[in-house]
Amino acid sequence: MLISYNWLKDFADIKITPEELAERLTMAGIEIGSIEKLKDDFIMDAEITPNRPDLLSMEGIAREAACLTESSFRELNAESCEAENSGESIEVKIQVPAKCLRYNATLIRDAKVKISDEKITRRLSTLGLRPVNNIVDITNYFLLASGQPLHAFDYDKIEGSTVVVRWAKKGESIAALDSREYKLDEDILVIADEKKPIAIAGIIGGIDTEIGYETKNVLLECAHFDPVVIRRAARRLGISTDSSYRFERGVCMETIPAVARKAALLIAQSAKGSIKGRRDIFEGRLKERSGKLRIDEISRILGFKISLDKVKRILTALGFEVTAAGERSLTFKIPFFRQDVSREIDIIEEVARVYGYDKMPTTLARISPKQIKKYRSSAGISEFRKYKIKKMARDILSDRGLNEVITYSMISEKSLSKFNYLPDEIVKVQKALSVEQEILRPTLIPGILNVLSWNLNRQVEDLMIFELGDVFLNKGGKFSEGAALAIGLSGSKFANDWRIKSKPFDFFDLKGIVENLFSRLGIKDIVFKRVDSGIFVKGRSAVVTMADKKLAVLGKVESAALDTFDIEDEVYAAEVYLEEVLLCVRLVDKVKPIPKFPAVTRDLAVIVKNDLSSSEIIKMIKKTGKGLIREVALFDVYSGKQIPTGYKSLAYSIKYQSEKTTLTDPEVDKVQTEIQKTLVNNLKAQMR
Amino acid sequence: MLKELKKIQKEALSGLNKAEVLAEIEKIRVEYLGRKGRLTEILKSLRKLPSGQKAQVGKLANDIKNKLMGEIENRLKKIESRPREECVDITLPGIVAAHGNKHPVTRTIDEICDIFVSLGLNVVEGPEAERERYNFEALNIPLEHPSRDAFDTFYIKDDLLLRSHTSPVQIRVMEKEEPPVAVIVPGKVYRPDAVDATHSFMFHQVEGLVIDKNITFSDLKGTLSFFANRMFGDSVKVRFRPHFFPFTEPSADLDISCIICGGKGCRVCSRTGWLEVMGAGMVDPEVFKAVGYNYEKYSGFAFGMGVERIAMLKYGVNDIRLFFENDLRFLRQWR
Ligand SMILES: [Zn+2]
């Protein structure tokens, strides 16, 4: 809201410069964004928080300014606020009294519509309002001065000379003063005459009853409308006016007759007309409100002591009336315009605000150690542990050379076209901003592929990326959200090693990263099983399980799936089900003693059929090893010359070690022979 | 002839002295002592000399030969005992292990959380898909009031929405735990804003909550000033300005002196010299009521900040969209 420095001086004897005033207002919660000099005036741009409708006027700002600068303040409506019903009768029918608690109408006859005088024109244009004519300008002038919206109708154009406050009827519409046609419905409150709506209540007037130069008789409306009704209507119609902005936040009912009287007088004076009738329909009640403030409560909340005297001065300057002051508390009447104040804490805030946050002490909060035992998730692990493990996973992967990415949680339906999700498993966002953001991602892989695509299309190559974030799914009609982690590789490794040729990433690079992650999180005994699923190439994908719990999937991404993302390069991707993984993590392991007796290493090379997996051979070797095998490591895989087609040669290095004794060569030879025999007999292996 | 021999000796020895590598010594050996070496030739030609000269020249030639052989031996030893040298172009690039990094948003979240964790707060997370009660009602945000304008929201279905701030986690924590509580809550939030250089429909916040007996506004000031100086540097000035939030009272905005211009006023701080970095306040009694806390006994403060905004200020990023484009040329700059 714009503020005129000179206008404020109508109300308060401000003796400080505009800059100083802006600083004081800002530090009291009325943030001044900028000050601009305009001829002999200064225009400040203020941000008024939604709890303070009383500040949406020059009078309100001036009251605050007077309080902050300890200068005197003159109210706009110093005279009585008494309502009056007098003179010519004016027909006002309020059909929805709950939504229009007060309606004040004044009839001014024989008015001469003309251009406003210089002072009013200047003040309006200074604050960004376009002067129209003396009648309209005076309504706007009072809106700015007092915060109370007013509206003037051409009385002769009101059919039946009757004003009705009612809900709009279905199918009704109105041509408004902004030259737009609004279609109304039954949730929108209107001011109507006998036939049709003549204004959208509290928002904008109709063009049919507009004040023009031919207007003679004016009906001045000064009313109160329900904030929620106005807000809904304004949002529905996509319109916001100075009037609706104030009604939405709440205007003060008490001062309506006084503002109406002042405005009518000024109109009569300016237009040389005469006030012929007044009507004030008041369905609400002005409730005197009072409050109590304990001095101990101030120090409990703010952390320092302040004298009751000082508090009294602050409250009085803000328009509160202190009715009783005790030793440790005081009681006061709350002014009508401060609808935001009702509780003790509201008063404490007023005191703190005016006293100045800057002047308050600064202390460090004492944090109770009791909390360490708190904050456990339903699965029993602490929130802190969850956070720590996620942080670890990020550290492990970034240390391993991967870049973390963060993509939007909303993705397009198209990006999931090659994934195997059932339509009702997918979670949709209502009123999505675009087709690119219709779906709450059930998987992180589309996001990973999008990032790879973005970079590859910009010649950024050799990419290793990961993302950690929540995924969303409807499982059997039940919505679920959980953390996941995805990895994507594209391009080559060793790109920065000029000594060796770079090598494209393959399945085993990806598998190694996944194994690394699990082993560093203390997850052992994981099993990689072949799986043919979804977006992965058949034969080049695996599922990682531990005790039948599915922990991850990984593989080479199908080119059909990559096409959706406009990627031509090979991509390897993995997704880790973090919610499951979190439960398997072992952060602490007891150390094992260093072996006391030396190890003996023997190599073993076998030729087996292609479809026999290495893990089966290792399993068999270990089983036959009678507890003497410490480690079996694969060191060569070969097929080609000297190996029959359909077969492969695998070479292992077997490390024998006993915990009880030094093994002799014959002892080791015996076991090794037995292993060879078993492999030949059970796995149809051939020794090399 | 004698003169010739002396010359050979002098040349051979000085050549040897200059020899630094094995090949040079070998070359000298071949030149003087090889099958066709200069000294060998002289020794071969001794026969042709008159007997008077033979003995004298022969002795000198043999002495020189022995001396030369001895010197060669010494020189070889000397060179071999020297530290080895293998010439490589040491300006070729070292083999640096490819290193990755965390996303700048994660990095900033970690920085923020670490400071509060050091003060004793606990990291707690909550769901991004949230119920209306947690996102609004329990936080004293009325259904239809202008104060809700700041919290426009994506809905998934009835009573399920994408949280528009991390504050719902305050309610979840308080519902579950009795006071005292002290938590710091990082996470994603969503608002249906049109995307531009400073707005995104998804961004991150970090929220904090401290509740106990005798927690005061002065504690809020001190704790958050400590944070601001740790996060932005000792020389940064901090100020608290009254503001309004439905779930706190009194409420404040925390400003730091502009880290771009040092408080003199620039485009980034809109010439004010100050940058708003977070909102905070004493937890509103209505929130206590919603979670069944006793307001007469306990008090507390809450605060919240936008992570991207802080990262943008701290690292001079001028467009929020860069965080979600994930161009590796941008991301790799965070070492
Ligand atoms: Zn600046």
Side-chain angles (χ1 to χ4, degrees):
Chain A
M1 185 186 69
L2 298 180
I3 299 170
S4 151
Y5 177 71
N6 286 349
W7 201 339
L8 292 182
K9 286 183 165 179
D10 278 9
F11 301 99
D13 299 320
I14 299 161
K15 287 176 201 80
I16 56 176
T17 66
E19 287 75 19
E20 285 164 341
L21 180 63
E23 169 75 13
R24 290 304 318 264
L25 288 172
T26 296
M27 293 312 285
I30 304 165
E31 194 182 356
I32 305 296
S34 64
I35 309 175
E36 247 179 85
K37 192 169 172 6
L38 200 76
K39 288 184 192 148
D40 63 335
D41 200 357
F42 294 88
I43 310 305
M44 305 180 199
D45 194 357
E47 189 204 327
I48 308 297
T49 53
N51 59 323
R52 294 293 304 272
D54 64 299
L55 294 178
L56 293 170
S57 66
M58 294 308 116
E59 182 189 24
I61 299 285
R63 181 185 290 111
E64 200 82 5
C67 168
L68 295 171
T69 58
E70 293 178 8
S71 36
S72 59
F73 173 71
R74 290 172 297 277
E75 272 186 0
L76 177 71
N77 307 303
E79 315 112 69
S80 113
C81 290
E82 287 299 303
E84 208 181 310
N85 286 297
S86 62
E88 239 180 90
S89 86
I90 306 163
E91 267 317 296
V92 177
K93 289 182 192 154
I94 302 180
Q95 290 183 1
V96 199
K99 307 298 178 192
C100 173
L101 293 176
R102 189 162 212 167
Y103 197 97
N104 184 296
T106 311
L107 178 61
I108 303 144
R109 288 201 181 271
D110 302 318
K112 277 167 206 69
V113 180
K114 53 172 192 169
I115 292 169
S116 294
D117 67 33
E118 195 272 334
K119 181 184 158 195
I120 287 184
T121 311
R122 178 163 37 85
R123 284 199 164 170
L124 291 187
S125 29
T126 296
L127 296 189
L129 282 187
R130 189 175 52 88
V132 181
N133 56 49
N134 57 344
I135 314 288
V136 174
D137 292 351
I138 287 168
T139 63
N140 283 334
Y141 183 85
F142 275 89
L143 174 135
L144 294 177
S146 71
Q148 168 67 50
L150 296 129
H151 186 69
F153 297 97
D154 185 330
Y155 190 56
D156 300 324
K157 297 203 178 127
I158 300 176
E159 295 212 35
S161 301
T162 302
V163 170
V164 186
V165 182
R166 61 162 168 88
W167 294 117
K169 291 172 192 149
K170 210 169 182 176
E172 272 185 333
S173 66
I174 184 170
L177 288 171
D178 60 358
S179 314
R180 277 172 65 192
E181 176 92 13
Y182 292 95
K183 285 199 174 63
L184 308 173
D185 61 42
E186 291 123 314
D187 284 341
I188 295 171
L189 201 63
V190 295
I191 312 300
D193 60 15
E194 280 190 336
K195 292 204 170 132
K196 58 180 188 310
I198 53 173
I200 307 171
I203 301 178
I204 194 165
I207 210 149
D208 291 344
T209 50
E210 183 184 15
I211 304 286
Y213 287 104
E214 72 294 342
T215 300
K216 281 202 189 76
N217 300 313
V218 174
L219 186 74
L220 181 69
E221 168 199 287
C222 188
H224 180 275
F225 301 107
D226 182 72
V228 172
V229 169
I230 301 301
R231 178 175 156 82
R232 262 191 221 152
R235 294 199 128 201
R236 176 90 48 87
L237 300 172
I239 176 175
S240 175
T241 60
D242 288 317
S243 168
S244 72
Y245 192 83
R246 285 167 176 80
F247 277 124
E248 274 185 43
R249 283 158 178 77
V251 299
C252 177
M253 267 183 279
E254 185 220 11
T255 47
I256 284 178
V259 174
R261 173 183 289 262
K262 274 213 142 173
L265 272 175
L266 196 60
I267 288 176
Q269 203 178 27
S270 161
K272 303 209 165 49
S274 48
I275 298 168
K276 289 293 185 190
R278 297 183 207 272
R279 197 95 164 76
D280 186 72
I281 301 175
F282 188 24
E283 300 287 350
R285 220 157 31 105
L286 289 174
K287 245 197 272 163
E288 288 266 343
R289 292 178 310 143
S290 58
K292 187 179 170 189
L293 176 63
R294 294 164 294 168
I295 196 87
D296 293 340
E297 186 65 0
I298 300 184
S299 48
R300 184 177 82 94
I301 298 295
L302 300 183
F304 71 103
K305 287 193 170 64
I306 180 168
S307 75
L308 263 187
D309 214 44
K310 175 100 188 157
V311 172
K312 224 164 125 182
R313 276 214 305 280
I314 292 172
L315 292 180
T316 309
L318 287 173
F320 292 75
E321 189 190 321
V322 176
T323 49
E327 186 90 334
R328 313 204 63 77
S329 71
L330 40 87
T331 49
F332 46 80
K333 270 200 325 216
I334 301 167
F336 288 113
F337 57 82
R338 288 305 300 271
Q339 294 161 45
D340 61 310
V341 173
S342 61
R343 309 166 299 172
E344 192 173 27
I345 191 67
D346 300 329
I347 298 295
I348 293 175
E349 179 175 54
E350 289 307 297
V351 171
R353 206 168 56 74
V354 175
Y355 180 82
Y357 286 3
D358 280 8
K359 298 197 195 89
M360 293 186 200
T362 46
T363 49
L364 209 52
R366 276 187 305 158
I367 306 293
S368 160
K370 281 182 200 156
Q371 299 164 70
I372 194 94
K373 291 185 190 137
K374 296 185 173 179
Y375 324 119
R376 306 218 159 244
S377 72
S378 47
I381 57 172
S382 76
E383 283 286 335
F384 194 76
R385 182 181 163 95
K386 257 165 81 177
Y387 168 74
K388 196 169 148 187
I389 295 169
K390 286 184 186 176
K391 200 172 172 185
M392 273 179 75
R394 287 186 168 109
D395 284 334
I396 292 165
L397 293 173
S398 52
D399 287 352
R400 186 75 164 66
L402 284 81
N403 292 99
E404 186 189 12
V405 301
I406 296 181
T407 67
Y408 295 126
S409 305
M410 289 93 121
I411 59 174
S412 69
E413 193 155 11
K414 185 179 154 239
S415 63
L416 282 178
S417 60
K418 294 291 183 288
F419 290 76
N420 295 335
Y421 291 102
L422 300 170
D424 52 352
E425 283 181 321
I426 300 286
V427 181
K428 284 198 171 179
V429 179
Q430 292 176 1
K431 293 184 192 153
L433 293 177
S434 84
V435 288
E436 295 301 312
Q437 288 120 25
E438 275 180 327
I439 305 242
L440 268 185
R441 58 184 180 189
T443 158
L444 297 177
I445 294 196
I448 289 284
L449 296 177
N450 268 326
V451 174
L452 293 176
S453 170
W454 170 281
N455 283 283
L456 291 170
N457 285 329
R458 286 162 182 78
Q459 289 83 47
V460 184
E461 283 153 357
D462 304 331
L463 307 163
M464 300 168 78
I465 58 171
F466 75 95
E467 175 165 20
L468 199 161
D470 280 6
V471 293
F472 309 81
L473 208 59
N474 274 323
K475 268 187 212 150
K478 226 186 130 206
F479 175 84
S480 74
E481 175 183 344
L485 188 162
I487 297 168
L489 306 180
S490 168
S492 309
K493 56 183 168 178
F494 309 138
N496 67 342
D497 191 340
W498 45 269
R499 302 166 307 174
I500 42 181
K501 258 196 171 165
S502 66
K503 252 184 109 178
F505 288 123
D506 65 17
F507 180 81
F508 301 100
D509 291 307
L510 180 66
K511 186 181 174 189
I513 292 169
V514 173
E515 285 176 315
N516 228 201
L517 176 69
F518 283 131
S519 92
R520 287 196 53 192
L521 290 175
I523 301 176
K524 288 173 194 153
D525 308 321
I526 51 169
V527 182
F528 286 79
K529 283 185 200 142
R530 256 189 69 164
V531 67
D532 296 317
S533 82
I535 53 147
F536 295 120
V537 173
K538 232 176 162 178
R540 291 233 166 168
S541 57
V543 57
V544 185
T545 58
M546 188 182 111
D548 290 333
K549 253 192 279 181
K550 208 167 140 187
L551 300 186
V553 287
L554 65 156
K556 181 179 179 183
V557 182
E558 267 287 3
S559 57
L562 294 177
D563 283 347
T564 344
F565 297 87
D566 200 18
I567 299 175
E568 288 171 7
D569 306 48
E570 281 190 0
V571 170
Y572 288 87
E575 185 152 50
V576 178
Y577 309 119
L578 219 49
E579 294 292 331
E580 293 289 343
V581 169
L582 286 171
L583 304 176
C584 305
V585 170
R586 286 181 52 144
L587 293 180
V588 185
D589 252 334
K590 293 273 188 294
V591 293
K592 290 192 189 96
I594 294 170
K596 283 194 195 101
F597 304 100
V600 180
T601 305
R602 289 283 147 79
D603 289 351
L604 176 84
V606 291
I607 297 169
V608 292
K609 270 196 171 166
N610 269 343
D611 60 4
L612 184 67
S613 76
S614 172
S615 67
E616 255 177 274
I617 298 171
I618 293 179
K619 217 157 95 187
M620 187 71 74
I621 295 174
K622 282 188 172 163
K623 206 173 130 196
T624 322
K626 297 191 170 129
L628 292 178
I629 294 174
R630 191 161 193 94
E631 206 180 295
V632 181
L634 174 89
F635 68 86
D636 189 39
V637 182
Y638 175 76
S639 55
K641 256 193 211 164
Q642 298 163 342
I643 308 290
T645 36
Y647 286 80
K648 61 187 172 185
S649 158
L650 301 170
Y652 299 93
S653 150
I654 306 173
K655 194 190 234 179
Y656 294 91
Q657 195 166 39
S658 162
E659 284 164 18
K660 293 174 198 119
T661 169
T662 300
L663 292 175
T664 63
D665 278 346
E667 278 172 314
V668 172
D669 288 341
K670 206 179 135 202
V671 183
Q672 177 95 353
T673 318
E674 209 163 311
I675 288 171
Q676 288 174 348
K677 242 191 274 166
T678 319
L679 294 181
V680 170
N681 293 340
N682 295 4
L683 298 180
K684 299 200 178 74
Q686 230 180 300
M687 290 301 135
R688 276 196 94 188
Chain B
M1 192 61 91
L2 287 174
K3 222 189 212 165
E4 170 78 16
L5 277 171
K6 288 244 169 80
K7 196 180 158 209
I8 286 176
Q9 173 176 319
K10 199 179 160 198
E11 281 176 9
L13 287 179
S14 91
L16 258 186
N17 267 331
K18 281 181 205 147
E20 290 293 332
V21 294
L22 298 179
E24 283 171 345
I25 297 171
E26 179 62 10
K27 203 176 138 207
I28 291 168
R29 195 190 63 78
V30 173
E31 188 184 342
Y32 296 96
L33 303 175
R35 257 192 305 141
K36 286 184 178 164
R38 286 162 70 186
L39 198 58
T40 316
E41 292 295 326
I42 290 175
L43 284 166
K44 272 189 208 160
S45 66
L46 277 178
R47 281 180 288 126
K48 295 171 193 161
L49 286 179
S51 55
Q53 279 183 32
K54 202 192 261 177
Q56 201 188 355
V57 174
K59 186 176 179 300
L60 184 59
N62 274 312
D63 282 352
I64 292 174
K65 184 183 173 184
N66 290 335
K67 196 168 183 178
L68 217 51
M69 278 164 64
E71 267 314 299
I72 286 173
E73 198 71 13
N74 285 342
R75 194 75 201 159
L76 279 175
K77 268 187 197 147
K78 203 168 170 186
I79 285 174
E80 270 166 10
S81 69
R82 259 191 208 166
R84 289 280 287 245
E85 181 180 292
E86 285 173 19
C87 229
V88 293
D89 178 357
I90 51 98
T91 65
L92 287 174
I95 308 307
V96 177
H99 53 101
N101 55 10
K102 291 199 238 183
H103 192 279
V105 165
T106 308
R107 198 186 142 111
T108 309
I109 287 176
D110 284 353
E111 277 181 74
I112 296 167
C113 289
D114 286 351
I115 296 170
F116 287 107
V117 167
S118 79
L119 291 173
L121 279 70
N122 290 268
V123 181
V124 170
E125 291 173 310
E128 291 165 24
E130 196 41 284
R131 296 181 38 211
E132 271 184 328
R133 174 180 139 70
Y134 291 100
N135 200 66
F136 294 123
E137 280 88 326
L139 287 162
N140 195 31
I141 304 173
L143 194 64
E144 294 197 68
H145 187 263
S147 63
R148 192 155 167 173
D149 285 350
F151 302 97
D152 243 359
T153 317
F154 284 113
Y155 272 80
I156 299 165
K157 54 186 178 192
D158 275 354
D159 199 18
L160 191 65
L161 48 82
L162 288 172
R163 64 179 177 194
S164 48
H165 47 175
T166 40
S167 308
V169 186
Q170 287 183 23
I171 304 297
R172 289 183 170 270
V173 165
M174 288 190 276
E175 265 188 356
K176 215 161 153 221
E177 311 286 355
E178 286 298 315
V181 295
V183 294
I184 184 90
V185 185
K188 286 191 176 78
V189 301
Y190 304 85
R191 291 180 195 173
D193 281 343
V195 177
D196 63 27
T198 52
H199 292 88
S200 174
F201 58 85
M202 179 186 97
F203 57 102
H204 296 75
Q205 281 188 338
V206 176
E207 182 90 8
L209 176 72
V210 176
I211 291 175
D212 202 346
K213 288 174 187 155
N214 305 317
I215 295 288
T216 68
F217 193 86
S218 302
D219 292 334
L220 175 158
K221 277 186 68 185
T223 307
L224 298 182
S225 299
F226 174 89
F227 163 78
N229 283 120
R230 272 284 151 88
M231 190 73 192
F232 298 104
D234 302 345
S235 57
V236 150
K237 285 205 278 297
V238 179
R239 77 173 188 187
F240 292 84
R241 195 163 36 73
H243 200 63
F244 167 75
F245 302 107
F247 34 91
T248 53
E249 190 157 330
S251 303
D253 265 348
L254 186 161
D255 294 343
I256 56 166
S257 53
C258 180
I259 49 178
I260 317 285
C261 64
K264 284 196 234 38
C266 68
R267 197 184 51 78
V268 177
C269 60
S270 312
R271 318 251 154 238
T272 62
W274 295 96
L275 296 169
E276 179 195 322
V277 291
M278 69 164 112
M282 300 301 289
V283 180
D284 196 285
E286 289 302 311
V287 175
F288 271 48
K289 209 191 275 170
V291 298
Y293 274 19
N294 183 350
Y295 186 73
E296 289 293 317
K297 201 168 159 197
Y298 296 102
S299 55
F301 63 83
F303 55 90
M305 63 196 106
V307 177
E308 282 80 358
R309 176 171 163 78
I310 287 179
M312 286 168 85
L313 291 174
K314 194 165 171 174
Y315 300 106
V317 177
N318 56 16
D319 194 325
I320 195 169
R321 287 167 288 202
L322 286 166
F323 291 119
F324 306 113
E325 274 171 11
N326 296 293
D327 193 307
L328 269 291
R329 292 166 295 184
F330 172 73
L331 295 182
R332 280 176 181 151
Q333 294 181 46
W334 273 267
R335 284 308 176 204

